[in-house]
Amino acid sequence: MMNRMFQTLVAGLLIVSFTALAQQHHPVTLTWKTATSEHNYTINPNATLGDFLAQQVNDPTVYNWAASRLVSDDLTRQVERERTAVLAELNLQKQSALSSGESERAAALNDIRSWLAALPLAGSHFIGVPFYQLRAHKNFNPQMQLPKQRTQLTLVSPKTQNVIKAEVVGAVNSPILVEPGTDLGTALERAQPNPHALDSRVWLIKQNGTVIHMPAAVYNQNQAAVCYRHETALPWIDVEQWQGIDCWPDEAVNEGDIIFVGLKNAVNLNKRISQLLKHRAIFQ
């Protein structure tokens, strides 16, 4: 079912990939692919992403920059290693539940393991490309000649007319898509969390990479959420080192959001899955 959800998001992609050559002063070879064409470019290594886009994009309103990703092959490999470790932990907990006679919990763990194994992932430095700020703010505007560990990069952006629905996944009876603007409570009610779901808080993964631990029960609805913002310079941080801040986000889900319903008695595991989800590849 998760695969079908992601297949609905395929249409109208802009894909830009580039390879930074090994020598610092060599030009960069860039391939720009769209649904209908493919073009190769040779670019000065000192040029920035903003310089290139300013030359090539005639109408920036055509693309959904907020939903764009700057993806690194090396970072994706790191994300995949973590996925493998999380899947192994889910399987270990499933076997433990079966040994304890907790067949329903084992089934819930297996369901999460199945959709997580099938989820397309893409390790992203930029989660959302700030197109309109690229020329004005240097920290938003990387040079095309990037450090050696970031040699393979892909820029992906959908068309603006493609609405990216929000999703509810995790310890629910069935993962679902919901329309942007749906309030959190309604979205959870439709997804029907199972008996092994943690009902006090959920993880809300925003389209811009911010991960929010949201109150989800009647008794804590007036409590602050905790926000963990995505850092372009540190796109992958061990969850034990996450530093959140109190925040009061909108109760309505927005385009491209993911609501992850975690499991009871699995604090660290829920956090690790949330970090994987912010690197989901919305566009394949």
Side-chain angles (χ1 to χ4, degrees):
M1 182 168 184
M2 290 297 296
N3 285 337
R4 289 199 298 272
M5 289 183 185
F6 282 93
Q7 286 169 2
T8 64
L9 305 173
V10 171
L13 301 187
L14 162 69
I15 302 178
V16 182
S17 63
F18 53 90
T19 303
L21 302 182
Q23 297 299 318
Q24 180 66 27
H25 302 295
H26 282 187
V28 173
T29 301
L30 181 149
T31 302
W32 188 356
K33 297 179 181 179
T34 70
T36 57
S37 64
E38 178 176 327
H39 299 283
N40 296 318
Y41 302 85
T42 300
I43 299 174
N44 186 306
N46 295 321
T48 64
L49 181 59
D51 294 334
F52 173 76
L53 291 175
Q55 293 175 3
Q56 302 300 328
V57 178
N58 294 322
D59 182 5
T61 64
V62 170
Y63 302 105
N64 186 343
W65 300 109
S68 299
R69 300 284 188 273
L70 185 59
V71 178
S72 160
D73 282 4
D74 286 326
L75 183 57
T76 298
R77 283 189 284 272
Q78 184 176 0
V79 170
E80 289 292 356
R81 286 194 294 271
E82 173 66 0
R83 187 207 323 240
T84 299
V86 169
L87 292 176
E89 177 63 23
L90 285 165
N91 189 59
L92 187 65
Q93 291 199 22
K94 183 186 82 169
Q95 296 304 324
S96 176
L98 287 172
S99 298
S100 303
E102 300 176 273
S103 58
E104 289 186 357
R105 180 173 175 82
L109 285 159
N110 190 63
D111 287 345
I112 291 177
R113 190 182 185 281
S114 295
W115 67 250
L116 185 61
L119 184 70
L121 295 175
S124 303
H125 291 276
F126 276 83
I127 300 182
V129 172
F131 179 87
Y132 297 99
Q133 289 79 41
L134 281 174
R135 303 295 294 276
H137 300 283
K138 196 170 184 179
N139 59 321
F140 286 154
N141 198 7
Q143 290 185 343
M144 304 298 267
Q145 179 70 62
L146 291 159
K148 190 177 292 186
Q149 68 268 25
R150 300 185 191 179
T151 54
Q152 301 287 337
L153 295 168
T154 303
L155 177 66
V156 185
S157 193
K159 301 280 189 173
T160 52
Q161 63 266 33
N162 294 343
V163 176
I164 304 167
K165 292 186 178 182
E167 304 171 54
V168 187
V169 299
V172 295
N173 286 346
S174 179
I176 63 168
L177 295 173
V178 295
E179 294 292 338
T182 304
D183 69 84
L184 182 65
T186 300
L188 289 172
E189 184 178 346
R190 290 176 184 171
Q192 300 179 345
N194 64 45
H196 298 279
L198 181 67
D199 58 7
S200 58
R201 287 182 177 252
V202 297
W203 294 93
L204 177 62
I205 298 91
K206 304 296 289 181
Q207 185 173 247
N208 65 4
T210 296
V211 177
I212 307 174
H213 204 197
M214 290 278 291
V218 173
Y219 71 85
N220 65 1
Q221 62 183 350
N222 294 322
Q223 295 179 9
V226 181
C227 288
Y228 304 90
R229 303 194 184 282
H230 178 75
E231 299 289 341
T232 301
L234 293 170
W236 187 269
I237 305 174
D238 188 286
V239 294
E240 298 298 334
Q241 300 175 25
W242 277 14
Q243 295 184 354
I245 59 171
D246 286 354
C247 58
W248 302 89
D250 193 338
E251 285 287 327
V253 297
N254 295 315
E255 184 178 352
D257 288 352
I258 286 184
I259 301 166
F260 169 59
V261 180
L263 286 160
K264 294 175 182 176
N265 305 316
V267 175
N268 183 267
L269 186 60
N270 290 335
K271 218 172 185 181
R272 292 171 72 185
I273 293 172
S274 296
Q275 176 155 239
L276 287 172
L277 286 174
K278 82 171 183 175
H279 289 283
R280 84 280 196 194
I282 297 178
F283 321 108
Q284 289 293 300

